[in-house]
Amino acid sequence: MGAGKMCTTPYRLWILFIGVILLLVSTESHAQSDADLADAYFQKGECEKVVTLYQKVLRKDFNKIYLRRYVGCMIKLKSFDEAEKFFKRQQKSDENVGYLYTLYWGRMLEQMGQAAPAAQKYQESIAQIPAKDLNAFKELADEFREIDNTDAAIGTLLKARDVAKNDNLFKMELAALYAQTGKTEQMIEELLSLGVAIQSKEVIQNYFQDFLREEKDQAKFEKILYEKIQRQPNEPFFAEMLIWFLTQKKQFSKAFIQERALDRRFKYNGTKVFDLGNLALQNKDFPAAIQSFEYVVKDYPQGQLYPYARRMMIVAREEQVKNTFPVEITSVRRLIEDYKKLLGELGQNNRTLEAMRSMASLYAFYLNEKDSATVILQNAVKIGRAESDFVDKCKLDLGDIFLLKNEPWESTLLYSQVEKSQKETPLGYEAKLRNARQFYYTGDFELSKALLDILKMATTREIANDAGALSLLIQDNTGLDTSEDAMKEYAAIDLLLYQNQTQIALDRLDGMFVRYKDHPLADEILWLKARTYAKMGENQKAVDNLQIIVDKFSTDILGDDALFMMAELYQNRFKDKDKSMELYQRMLEKYPASIYAADARKRFRQLRGDTL
């Protein structure tokens, strides 16, 4: 008997163990079913059935979502006394999250209109967090944000800093809260101090892009940065942030002053000033670009960047001359003299090949000295013969010169050579585009369009856009006139403009418009005249022709082009801010799907001064 009892003991223990497991599973399943049932009632808005179930679930396993829903329903049902009893019990039984129950107790009081007791509960919730539990502080702050009490969220995080004696805690979180509550100066301070700590400009810049939307906030940012630079001149982070900010505002001359100061203090050997010069040049701020390159040339005559800065300084001046209308021939001659001095100083070698190309272009297109340009390019090809890309660029330049000399077949021979040697490259696409344009000039529209349609499919965006525009011009103005006489005359005039025979071209355009004012080419004739007058600096004549397009041909393809160009002329040439804003706004209203819409909107906002 004794042995039998001993044998059955393990079996009984096993049965007991299985029973306990089943009980636990049953309990968990029941709790799960309570939560599921509560969720179902909650989705239906049946709060009367929800509250008891959520109480049962919360007693077993705390869940913030269930707590929020429970409180929401108790507020809706106005069952404040019952909720307070529940909160009191839970604070004692679930001390680890007692601060969250206290917070939502305060939330309920606030909804009852008892502001002072609610504020007291909020303070109690912060005080209940153990001093070393930083995660709890973060969690409580998140809950305050959840109920839109950002001031209490800020207070919670500041308390965490205080008890931890660490001012570097929660900088990003506090910056976001300060931004949300309009406390711009505090937000800026938090992000800047974080930037100094982690030395990551990109991260901080991204946040400032998000937070600094208003002009007044940008002004505060700039002021604070200047103050910090004065107080902490040996900390480069502040100056770097100011330079970034100024370049975002396209204030490159002011950025240069800061970049120059950094360069002299920290011995950057002109590298960052050189980069700023290139950025200014890309944004067509030619004076700032010249200023930057000139600094590198003067302060680092023995530096590695000297030959590049020397050339880029002339390039910036060249772009300034080319974009000042009308282009002054005396300024072009001065540029050529600058290039000659550069070549005399640095020699004709691989470092100065691009300078030789630039000088040849000036001779050919502005001084009409095509033979001088040809000699320079041929010499450049000999020096740079080992660099195939450079040789092909020179071939394109020589092809352009032959077109200036009215020798199109010599041009197409050179363009075709580059097409063959540069297949499926941007340079090869550029050669194909020039070939297509040459065929257009000479009236071979079918061959021109075939090349252009290829370029629309596989090339860079800029070339694709140019190809698409020329292809559309040919398509819209051939076929209707079977002789294609009008289109051939138009293309021949376009070639005259390319060859700088401007006055002859304008006279012929005037005659064309009289004869073809009802032809599909009429708006194109006006458009070509307007662009030609703009290049000559005859701004009012340009606007007059654009106005005719806007008035009589607004539904045609050039309607939005004309309106946008008018706005640009009033903005940049006439300096009439109000008129340009009016025209940009008209364009956005009349042509919302235009390719210029995004740019027009950006320029309008810049003129209004409300964007970074």
Side-chain angles (χ1 to χ4, degrees), residues 239-257:
E240 289 169 351
M241 289 299 295
L242 179 58
I243 291 164
W244 164 78
F245 173 75
L246 294 172
T247 56
Q248 294 292 299
K249 299 280 283 184
K250 300 189 185 302
Q251 297 176 0
F252 294 102
S253 291
K254 291 172 72 174
F256 165 74
I257 295 170

Side-chain angles (χ1 to χ4, degrees), residues 559-561 564 587-588 590-601:
D560 59 333
D561 298 75
F564 185 76
M587 209 215 82
L588 289 168
K590 193 164 187 177
Y591 306 101
S594 168
I595 60 171
Y596 301 109
D599 204 5
R601 189 173 293 105

Side-chain angles (χ1 to χ4, degrees), residues 20 70 94 110 309 344 355-356 368 414 552 589 603:
V20 171
Y70 170 76
D94 203 352
E110 187 176 31
M356 295 174 73
N368 201 29
L414 288 165
K552 296 187 176 181
E589 292 171 354
R603 293 182 184 212

Side-chain angles (χ1 to χ4, degrees), residues 184-192 208 220-221 224:
T184 306
E185 290 89 345
Q186 292 95 320
M187 176 269 290
I188 292 170
E189 290 288 348
E190 292 292 341
L191 286 178
L192 288 178
F208 277 126
K220 291 175 184 177
F221 181 56
I224 289 171

Side-chain angles (χ1 to χ4, degrees), residues 440 445 472-478 480-481 484-494 509 512-529 549 553 556-558:
Y440 153 74
F445 301 128
L472 189 61
L473 173 66
I474 294 170
Q475 178 180 309
D476 285 353
N477 297 286
T478 55
L480 295 175
D481 179 355
E484 298 181 347
D485 288 344
M487 189 61 193
K488 286 182 178 178
E489 184 178 353
Y490 179 87
I493 294 172
D494 210 352
L509 283 171
M512 267 201 86
F513 187 69
V514 172
R515 285 181 283 115
Y516 293 105
K517 59 184 178 182
D518 296 321
H519 190 277
L521 265 173
D523 59 335
E524 294 286 355
I525 294 168
L526 293 166
W527 176 245
L528 192 55
K529 284 177 65 180
I549 298 175
F553 304 97
D556 290 345
I557 195 168
L558 291 172

Side-chain angles (χ1 to χ4, degrees), residues 113-229:
Q114 299 182 28
Q120 180 62 36
K121 287 296 179 187
Y122 291 151
Q123 291 302 313
E124 286 178 18
S125 69
I126 299 173
Q128 286 171 352
I129 298 177
K132 294 182 180 180
D133 194 348
L134 296 179
N135 289 332
F137 279 108
K138 174 69 166 57
E139 183 179 37
L140 184 62
D142 289 342
E143 290 304 303
F144 275 125
R145 289 189 69 176
E146 187 71 26
I147 64 172
D148 295 323
N149 193 334
T150 47
D151 287 336
I154 290 170
T156 303
L157 296 180
L158 291 176
K159 177 69 173 179
R161 277 186 181 177
D162 185 49
V163 297
K165 295 181 171 52
N166 185 350
D167 288 338
N168 289 322
L169 289 175
F170 303 122
K171 286 189 173 296
M172 198 67 77
E173 293 84 353
L174 279 164
L177 288 166
Y178 285 137
Q180 188 176 340
T181 52
K183 298 176 180 177
T184 306
E185 290 89 345
Q186 292 95 320
M187 176 269 290
I188 292 170
E189 290 288 348
E190 292 292 341
L191 286 178
L192 288 178
S193 60
L194 176 62
V196 172
I198 65 176
Q199 288 296 312
S200 176
K201 296 191 295 293
E202 291 77 12
V203 171
I204 304 304
Q205 287 165 5
N206 288 336
Y207 278 98
F208 277 126
Q209 287 277 24
D210 291 335
F211 293 151
L212 296 177
R213 297 290 186 183
E214 300 294 330
E215 188 72 23
K216 64 181 188 326
D217 294 337
Q218 296 169 27
K220 291 175 184 177
F221 181 56
E222 186 173 358
K223 179 175 180 290
I224 289 171
L225 283 172
Y226 276 116
E227 291 172 351
K228 287 190 175 294
I229 290 168

Side-chain angles (χ1 to χ4, degrees), residues 215-421:
E215 188 72 23
K216 64 181 188 326
D217 294 337
Q218 296 169 27
K220 291 175 184 177
F221 181 56
E222 186 173 358
K223 179 175 180 290
I224 289 171
L225 283 172
Y226 276 116
E227 291 172 351
K228 287 190 175 294
I229 290 168
Q230 289 179 345
R231 290 199 300 266
Q232 302 178 54
N234 292 322
E235 175 49 70
F237 181 81
F238 301 122
E240 289 169 351
M241 289 299 295
L242 179 58
I243 291 164
W244 164 78
F245 173 75
L246 294 172
T247 56
Q248 294 292 299
K249 299 280 283 184
K250 300 189 185 302
Q251 297 176 0
F252 294 102
S253 291
K254 291 172 72 174
F256 165 74
I257 295 170
Q258 297 301 319
E259 200 72 88
R260 180 182 59 188
L262 273 184
D263 184 77
R264 288 174 173 170
R265 181 174 293 276
F266 297 102
K267 311 299 180 188
Y268 292 144
N269 298 317
T271 55
K272 294 189 174 184
V273 178
F274 181 81
D275 291 341
L276 179 65
N278 282 314
L279 186 60
L281 185 58
Q282 291 170 19
N283 285 273
K284 301 186 184 302
D285 188 337
F286 305 122
I290 294 167
Q291 193 177 32
S292 300
F293 295 131
E294 195 170 39
Y295 167 79
V296 178
V297 167
K298 288 183 177 179
D299 280 47
Y300 299 98
Q302 306 302 321
Q304 290 183 336
L305 286 173
Y306 176 81
Y308 306 102
R310 183 88 165 75
R311 176 179 168 266
M312 292 308 297
M313 182 172 66
I314 304 173
V315 168
R317 288 175 180 162
E318 181 179 341
E319 289 301 311
Q320 187 177 42
V321 168
K322 288 179 178 179
N323 286 275
T324 303
F325 303 103
V327 174
E328 294 182 0
I329 299 303
T330 54
S331 298
V332 173
R333 293 193 182 281
R334 280 197 295 269
L335 285 170
I336 289 175
E337 289 304 313
D338 287 340
Y339 277 123
K340 286 181 177 178
K341 289 177 184 177
L342 173 66
L343 295 172
E345 181 181 346
L346 301 178
Q348 295 185 9
N349 51 54
N350 288 344
R351 294 188 304 174
T352 56
L353 289 174
E354 289 296 336
M356 295 174 73
R357 276 190 68 214
S358 297
M359 186 164 64
S361 176
L362 291 171
Y363 270 119
F365 284 91
Y366 293 92
L367 301 186
N368 201 29
E369 296 182 23
K370 295 179 278 289
D371 292 338
S372 297
T374 301
V375 170
I376 293 169
L377 285 172
Q378 289 172 340
N379 192 26
V381 168
K382 290 178 184 177
I383 297 168
R385 58 185 176 275
E387 299 182 24
S388 60
D389 284 0
F390 178 77
V391 171
D392 283 339
K393 288 178 184 177
C394 288
K395 284 184 178 181
L396 292 182
D397 294 343
L398 286 166
D400 293 343
I401 292 171
F402 278 117
L403 201 53
L404 288 175
K405 294 165 72 173
N406 216 24
E407 298 180 31
W409 303 117
E410 295 294 333
S411 291
T412 197
L413 179 63
L414 288 165
Y415 296 153
S416 298
Q417 287 177 9
V418 178
E419 273 192 68
K420 187 175 180 181
S421 66

